[in-house]
Amino acid sequence: MTETTPSATGQLTGNVLYYNQPEPLNPTTHKGMGVKRIDGPFSFAAKHNLVPLTVSEFQLAVLNGPIIFVGEEKTPLQVMGLNHDENIFVLPTGVFDAGVYVPAYVRRYPFVFANDSQAGQSILCVDRSAAFFAESNPELPFFDEKGEPTEYTQNCLKFCNDYEMERQKTQSFVQLLKALDLFESKESFYTPVNEDGTPGEPQKLADYFGVSEERLRALPAEKFMDLRQSGALNQIFAHLISLAQWDRLVALSMNRQMQLQNQAPQAANS
């Protein structure tokens, strides 16, 4: 069950990426508040290279970068940078580079569902620390004069509800892969080139879980057909294809680093 106006302020549980000050959204606390339009609305995403993905997004995000699975829960993540504190697809202006798919996890910010342990339900929260949170004179208020959610808030609530449904589908997808024993540990390496043109010492980029192509090929025909008919096979192929993006990610990271190095002298001389 989800609410926008909780009757009690229970204990919120769980830590969520990007959210520093989430609080239950209600017409009393947030009367006259809302959001404002700002330049660089995605600056909050610039300092994190891993972004959660839902399974329905795999085919949309395949060209961004590798889609990997991490942890005991095998959480699917989009790799958007090689350094843990840098998303190379977020420009210094605080917007995503042209042509980059922006994950739904990023687009739902500053809203999120949180568990209210006292009330035993999920409630809609908003991150008060968001740069575009407006304490007064918002361009898009959360509530109208009667204390009812505005169209903007209703749309955000629907988006969060849809996201929650996709998250549950993703959990089912992961459980299916687990049940078929398709996961295996994987490593990605980058081999730099020395000044004389010879290959350098390989450097590890990441350890993660991914689908084993060997185990996939070894599945009984009926199990393979089940994956195909359910649509899960398309998502598996999208994940496998995305792993070829490690080299592209390295190239983009090196290019980004060179641009920043070139900009540094210009800034010093200005």
Side-chain angles (χ1 to χ4, degrees), residues 134-155:
E135 297 279 352
S136 60
N137 300 319
E139 293 180 65
L140 296 170
F142 297 135
F143 300 96
D144 60 23
E145 295 180 355
K146 297 180 180 179
E148 297 295 326
T150 60
E151 181 179 0
Y152 167 73
T153 301
Q154 292 175 21
N155 289 338

Side-chain angles (χ1 to χ4, degrees), residues 195-267:
E195 292 183 0
D196 60 2
T198 60
E201 188 71 21
Q203 300 177 13
K204 182 182 289 189
L205 297 175
D207 291 293
Y208 57 95
F209 293 103
V211 171
S212 166
E213 294 185 61
E214 181 179 354
R215 296 181 191 180
L216 183 63
R217 288 193 296 268
L219 281 178
E222 65 274 12
K223 296 292 185 182
F224 190 86
M225 287 304 297
D226 286 345
L227 289 176
R228 178 180 176 182
Q229 292 175 358
S230 69
L233 192 60
N234 290 338
Q235 313 302 350
I236 291 174
F237 285 153
H239 151 67
L240 292 172
I241 291 171
S242 78
L243 298 182
Q245 297 293 330
W246 281 111
D247 289 341
R248 175 174 176 265
L249 206 60
V250 169
L252 290 173
S253 295
M254 294 177 64
N255 184 61
R256 175 80 172 264
Q257 196 171 38
M258 290 177 60
Q259 289 179 343
L260 293 176
Q261 290 175 348
N262 292 334
Q263 291 172 1
Q266 297 176 6

